[in-house]
Amino acid sequence: MAYSGRCACGSVRLEISGEPVAARQCWCRQCQQIAAGGPTNNAIFNAEDVAIAGTLSHGTWQSASGNTLTFHFCPSCGTQIFGQSSGRMHLKTVRFGALDPNHGLRPEAVIWTDDAPGWAQIDPTVESWPRQPPAPPPTG
Ligand SMILES: [Zn+2]
Ligand SMILES: [Zn+2]
């Protein structure tokens, strides 16, 4: 297994068999709402590489691009597990917080900086996008 993870209560578990196609920090308004006012930090994997055990609940929102974004979370403890866009069903956007510590990943891009509050600390050493960048391409 390349990566493993679990929610805070342990009833949802993740096993991921491949490397992410991208790792991004997102400051969009909806991410701030699920991340207590901060950004979400996400590793984007090929969906087929992500195995999940346990029961998830989900909610949806409409993204600015017109796609439906579904966000999946543990119904017992509320931990956000992953998001998936109707326009990119081959990818799963796994929340860093659902991965076991020491996963070694870090955001390589910051997106939706237009929505970030004035106090946000945006890493100047990584690529940043004021809004949504192009989707990462599928791999292998
Ligand atoms: Zn849980
Ligand atoms: Zn976002």
Side-chain angles (χ1 to χ4, degrees):
M1 274 315 121
Y3 300 96
S4 59
R6 47 167 280 172
C7 66
C9 76
S11 61
V12 174
R13 291 177 183 276
L14 289 159
E15 293 201 339
I16 301 170
S17 59
E19 292 298 318
V21 298
R24 290 175 174 169
Q25 180 177 84
C26 182
W27 280 97
C28 81
R29 177 68 189 134
Q30 291 97 334
C31 281
Q32 292 183 54
Q33 288 179 305
I34 62 171
T40 60
N41 298 286
N42 308 286
I44 304 170
F45 292 96
N46 285 309
E48 64 201 20
D49 289 345
V50 180
I52 296 172
T55 304
L56 293 169
S57 289
H58 68 270
T60 60
W61 72 60
Q62 293 301 123
S63 70
S65 61
N67 291 320
T68 299
L69 196 288
T70 303
F71 55 101
H72 299 265
F73 57 93
C74 174
S76 298
C77 67
T79 301
Q80 296 286 330
I81 306 296
F82 75 97
Q84 196 163 32
S85 169
S86 60
R88 295 184 287 278
M89 290 299 287
H90 61 290
L91 300 174
K92 282 184 172 157
T93 299
V94 176
R95 312 304 183 189
F96 274 18
L99 296 173
D100 288 332
N102 305 317
H103 51 72
L105 300 171
R106 54 176 295 155
E108 62 203 20
V110 183
I111 67 174
W112 284 99
T113 57
D114 272 1
D115 282 359
W119 48 260
Q121 300 288 314
I122 309 286
D123 184 344
T125 68
V126 302
E127 160 188 333
S128 69
W129 297 77
R131 298 172 69 84
Q132 185 72 33
T139 60

